[in-house]
Amino acid sequence: MYFSKRFFPLLVLVVLSVSCQQELQQPSFEYVTGNPADSGTRYPNLYQDDTGTTFMSWFLKIDETIYAVQYSAYINGAWTEPQAMNISQDYFVNWADFPSVVGMNGEVVAGHWLKKINGGTYAYNVNIAFPGEQPRRWTESVTPHTDGTPTEHGFVSLEPIDEETVLAIWLDGRNTDGRDHSDYSNMDQAMTLRSAEISRSGEISRERVIDSAVCDCCQTDLVRTEGGFIVVYRNRTEGETRDIYSARYDPENGEWSEPAAVSDDGWEIMACPVNGPRIAVNGNQVAAAWFTMADDEPKVLMAVSEDGGRTFGEAVQVAGETSIGRVDITAGDEKSFFVSWMQQREENGYIMLREIKTNEGPAQPVRVGMTSSSRSSGFPRMVTTDQGVLLAWTQTEPIYRIRTALVPVE
């Protein structure tokens, strides 16, 4: 089997065993970029637009009840001054469900956050806003779901359709209204996956149901392809099989394809594992990565589509044994993807990275950073830049702070 030699450290880089199954032996280098997320920040999200501009968003805790949603752009190896999208004491702040910004042509197009509403602990709405005409001003936020129920609405994915409109995907709990939060028995009260197009003027159009029964609290992910858009998410069946599914959106007619399984893992679990899939596009290839514990074996898997996401090939294993998921995926060179995940040893969570060349084989995995393996450390995120693979994650000790690392590649 061929193993790529593409990783070149700026400091000493210690690579790990070729085997996904082998325990981590010793740490690698960590090349930290000067990111603007200061102490008190947490739960980063990274988004890269069509120009290669990378946007990072995050929560900043101001005091015990007040948070700010901030963001910055990473351009030519440097971060811009952070700006606040919104400040509130009513955010729904969650380790797995965090705000985002998306952009086009080097500029931020829109962003989202979750806001608590009256009706219970898990009652909150999606809020989407656009940059205003004046600097540091944002438009009045729009709630894309129009049901008005005091239920969960979150795990949002956004993609710009153009500079004035975004496609929004979210998990929608309107059918769970009145259901006990821990009762998953009635499929008529299942979480749904929905979408809508949102314009800068606040217009909500083309509201659609993508899937009428999905996992309650796993992230969604959405990318643009040459043929439109494709979403990946964790599905839910009558028999409580919760595997990864995808659907394609045609912006010309505003319709979704019939959801289809990315892979038939057969993971049966009676509750949500809070471990959603990720997706990336590389030329004519689309690749999805996700975590599963089918047959009680923890694995990170990846599958590649050669036809724009209509069908996916057989899943390949990226990591196993001590993986706890929290995956991400980003495109590399032609027929190459990078997959990240978190690996657990005792209370430590190691952020791992591995290149997968779809026509040759996997490179050796490398350790990029370390944090807590608890929920409080959230989900690492990454993108590919001209300087290498940029990763961001939440450090929990001795203080909360977002850390970033740049793994240089050839």
Side-chain angles (χ1 to χ4, degrees), residues 248-305:
R248 291 171 289 107
Y249 185 74
D250 185 345
E252 294 297 321
N253 59 26
E255 297 298 335
W256 288 94
S257 66
E258 187 70 20
V262 173
S263 176
D264 293 316
D265 303 334
W267 187 11
E268 295 183 13
I269 180 173
M270 293 298 294
C272 181
V274 196
N275 236 315
R278 300 288 286 173
I279 191 168
V281 177
N282 193 355
N284 61 358
Q285 290 187 325
V286 178
W290 67 95
F291 177 75
T292 182
M293 279 194 66
D295 302 319
D296 294 324
E297 296 182 15
K299 296 177 183 176
V300 173
L301 300 177
M302 185 186 96
V304 177
S305 170

Side-chain angles (χ1 to χ4, degrees), residues 155-178:
F155 295 99
V156 176
S157 292
L158 298 178
E159 275 291 335
I161 295 175
D162 53 41
E163 293 178 333
E164 300 293 322
T165 311
V166 294
L167 175 62
I169 310 296
W170 68 93
L171 298 189
D172 191 300
R174 68 185 68 183
N175 292 346
T176 70
D177 194 15

Side-chain angles (χ1 to χ4, degrees), residues 187-399:
M187 292 293 286
D188 291 334
Q189 291 185 300
M191 184 70 71
T192 61
L193 180 66
R194 297 176 184 254
S195 72
E197 294 184 10
I198 315 297
S199 72
R200 182 180 293 273
S201 64
E203 180 184 3
I204 304 170
S205 61
R206 291 178 164 180
E207 297 180 66
R208 299 288 187 266
V209 178
I210 306 171
D211 197 317
S212 60
V214 301
C215 208
D216 281 56
C217 43
C218 281
Q219 295 92 350
T220 64
D221 198 15
L222 177 70
V223 291
R224 188 169 199 151
T225 68
E226 291 183 1
F229 299 85
I230 180 169
V231 64
V232 287
Y233 60 98
R234 192 175 294 281
N235 192 34
R236 180 188 173 204
T237 69
E238 289 276 1
E240 298 296 4
T241 298
R242 303 189 184 223
D243 289 341
I244 305 305
Y245 273 56
S246 69
R248 291 171 289 107
Y249 185 74
D250 185 345
E252 294 297 321
N253 59 26
E255 297 298 335
W256 288 94
S257 66
E258 187 70 20
V262 173
S263 176
D264 293 316
D265 303 334
W267 187 11
E268 295 183 13
I269 180 173
M270 293 298 294
C272 181
V274 196
N275 236 315
R278 300 288 286 173
I279 191 168
V281 177
N282 193 355
N284 61 358
Q285 290 187 325
V286 178
W290 67 95
F291 177 75
T292 182
M293 279 194 66
D295 302 319
D296 294 324
E297 296 182 15
K299 296 177 183 176
V300 173
L301 300 177
M302 185 186 96
V304 177
S305 170
E306 302 285 354
D307 56 9
R310 290 172 176 81
T311 60
F312 284 83
E314 185 178 353
V316 297
Q317 184 172 329
V318 178
E321 284 191 356
T322 56
S323 168
I324 55 174
R326 308 192 199 183
V327 303
D328 202 0
I329 187 169
T330 185
D333 289 342
E334 184 180 2
K335 296 187 181 300
S336 167
F337 292 90
F338 292 93
V339 178
S340 66
W341 69 96
M342 189 175 287
Q343 183 167 305
Q344 182 176 16
R345 172 179 280 183
E346 297 177 346
E347 301 301 317
N348 294 327
Y350 298 101
I351 293 92
M352 306 296 298
L353 180 66
R354 191 173 204 181
E355 183 185 18
I356 309 295
K357 294 186 76 69
T358 60
N359 60 340
E360 296 175 350
Q364 294 176 324
V366 297
R367 183 199 296 178
V368 180
M370 184 179 74
T371 184
S372 167
S373 62
S374 69
R375 291 187 171 195
S376 60
S377 62
F379 284 68
R381 288 293 180 245
M382 67 173 178
V383 295
T384 306
T385 73
D386 290 340
Q387 295 81 36
V389 180
L390 177 67
L391 298 97
W393 66 92
T394 302
Q395 167 193 290
T396 60
E397 296 292 342
I399 60 171

Side-chain angles (χ1 to χ4, degrees), residues 4-16 27-32 353 364 366-368 387-389 405-410:
S4 172
K5 303 295 186 182
R6 291 167 45 81
F7 288 98
F8 289 89
L10 297 182
L11 302 175
V12 176
L13 174 63
V14 179
V15 296
L16 311 179
S28 71
F29 85 105
E30 180 179 309
Y31 176 64
V32 178
L353 180 66
Q364 294 176 324
V366 297
R367 183 199 296 178
V368 180
Q387 295 81 36
V389 180
L406 184 68
V407 178
V409 298
E410 185 179 35

